[in-house]
Amino acid sequence: MDIDAVRALVKDDIAATDALILEKLQSEVVLVNQLGYYIINSGGKRLRPLLLLLAARGLGYQGKHHHTLAAVIEFIHTATLLHDDVVDASDMRRGRQTANAVFGNEASVLVGDYLYSRAFQMMVEVGEMRVMDILSTATNVIAEGEVMQLMNCNDPDTTEQRYFDVITCKTAKLFEAALQLSAVLAKQSPEVEAAMAGYGMELGIAFQLIDDALDYSGDSGELGKNVGDDLAEGKPTLPLIHAMRHGKPEQVALIRQAIENGGTDQFDEIRQTLSETGAIEYTEQKAEKAVAKAKSLLQNMPPSPYREALIAVAEYAISRRS
């Protein structure tokens, strides 16, 4: 099942969620509307809401709250992107200028805040304390992950464990929340809820691992962002951490200097080092292990086309090239 077939399975739910996103973006403040529409309509995959919709259907949920929570998840994700791009001084995402490049840093940060607060308004509409608990915790953990990443920047002594702590908080936590919410809505057992949360966590980890590998092995045209952005920002991601463990002294010195200073002056030499040390393959293998674990946790769901779709999304996460 390819990703288009996956989306077709819940096309009505996706349409309802998209309509809700547009409705809840409305503001009397013109700039909020302009910037909100710009980022929401910027060609993102909307993978997190898609996963929530698939899982809710796969677990037998029949109501409408999954549309609300899928929109909430997208708003939280979008808010993090707005803030991320300001912190990282990024100028390109998904093949177009970032919102901060178009509207300025101040507007991006403030509209990100607006999206967070709108998301919390929508959580309240669901009227379920567990939902509030899961999402408020997730939002807090994501913020912690962002700060942890900031602390790791330009630090070539960042360990693999610290790297995984960051991606678990910064990226995987929202995947985990999306999948856990589907089980809460469908009033599943604690065992099923834990399995769905675990699937989301492992998938989120795999997704970020592949992102970090693509920053050195991808193509700017396909990625929709500048290859080497992580290096330019001095981010010690797993490919670099692995290469420093296994490279020659001069290669290690090269990477350390790049992380400490940021910049891509010697990007080709660093890519060569990653190739020689098997750093990309190592990162991809970690992603494959995470996906295998995620897929195994889906045995806690009853067989259905929705479960097959969740398996397909997990496989898509490690096969993608953008």
Side-chain angles (χ1 to χ4, degrees), residues 68-129:
T68 302
L69 293 182
V72 165
I73 290 288
E74 186 63 13
F75 277 178
I76 291 173
H77 176 56
T78 303
T80 65
L81 295 186
L82 283 166
H83 289 169
D84 265 4
D85 286 342
V86 171
V87 171
D88 296 340
S90 299
D91 59 8
M92 188 176 171
R93 183 183 286 277
R94 297 166 181 165
R96 65 195 299 212
Q97 283 186 294
T98 53
N100 52 298
V102 177
F103 297 95
N105 288 339
E106 297 88 344
S108 291
V109 170
L110 294 172
V111 173
D113 293 344
Y114 172 85
L115 291 176
Y116 271 130
S117 57
R118 176 65 88 204
F120 275 84
Q121 285 181 321
M122 293 167 69
M123 288 177 218
V124 175
E125 292 172 13
V126 176
E128 175 75 59
M129 187 53 73

Side-chain angles (χ1 to χ4, degrees), residues 64-303:
K64 299 291 185 188
H65 286 323
H66 61 320
H67 300 149
T68 302
L69 293 182
V72 165
I73 290 288
E74 186 63 13
F75 277 178
I76 291 173
H77 176 56
T78 303
T80 65
L81 295 186
L82 283 166
H83 289 169
D84 265 4
D85 286 342
V86 171
V87 171
D88 296 340
S90 299
D91 59 8
M92 188 176 171
R93 183 183 286 277
R94 297 166 181 165
R96 65 195 299 212
Q97 283 186 294
T98 53
N100 52 298
V102 177
F103 297 95
N105 288 339
E106 297 88 344
S108 291
V109 170
L110 294 172
V111 173
D113 293 344
Y114 172 85
L115 291 176
Y116 271 130
S117 57
R118 176 65 88 204
F120 275 84
Q121 285 181 321
M122 293 167 69
M123 288 177 218
V124 175
E125 292 172 13
V126 176
E128 175 75 59
M129 187 53 73
R130 286 295 316 288
V131 167
M132 291 288 291
D133 182 29
I134 291 165
L135 283 167
S136 59
T137 298
T139 305
N140 195 251
V141 169
I142 292 164
E144 287 181 332
E146 295 289 356
V147 175
M148 288 159 59
Q149 178 172 269
L150 189 63
M151 291 168 64
N152 287 350
C153 267
N154 305 114
D155 182 1
D157 295 315
T158 298
T159 62
E160 185 168 318
Q161 183 58 57
R162 277 167 59 193
Y163 164 81
F164 272 101
D165 288 344
V166 167
I167 69 169
T168 296
C169 295
K170 177 179 170 289
T171 302
K173 190 65 182 179
L174 194 58
F175 280 86
E176 179 191 64
L179 274 296
Q180 188 175 359
L181 289 171
S182 68
V184 169
L185 285 180
K187 304 202 180 307
Q188 294 292 310
S189 68
E191 291 77 19
V192 171
E193 187 180 319
M196 297 312 297
Y199 165 88
M201 175 59 71
E202 296 297 332
L203 180 58
I205 288 170
F207 194 86
Q208 187 61 57
L209 284 164
I210 294 300
D211 252 16
D212 292 345
L214 285 171
D215 202 60
Y216 295 97
S217 63
D219 174 86
S220 290
E222 290 182 14
L223 283 177
K225 67 170 190 174
N226 301 315
V227 168
D229 271 356
D230 289 347
L231 189 64
E233 293 155 18
K235 289 181 182 174
T237 56
L238 190 58
L240 297 180
I241 292 167
H242 178 83
M244 282 192 289
R245 277 205 306 259
H246 298 278
K248 299 169 187 171
E250 62 272 19
Q251 293 174 321
V252 174
L254 178 69
I255 293 173
R256 286 185 68 88
Q257 184 181 22
I259 292 172
E260 286 172 349
N261 301 325
T264 55
D265 292 347
Q266 294 175 294
F267 186 62
D268 290 339
E269 292 94 324
I270 289 172
R271 274 225 271 207
Q272 183 63 31
T273 296
L274 298 185
S275 175
E276 289 176 11
T277 56
I280 301 301
E281 291 83 352
Y282 177 77
T283 304
E284 290 173 343
Q285 285 165 10
K286 288 283 188 182
E288 287 162 6
K289 284 182 181 176
V291 161
K293 189 172 179 183
K295 286 160 67 175
S296 72
L297 289 165
L298 291 178
Q299 297 306 310
N300 292 273
M301 275 184 93

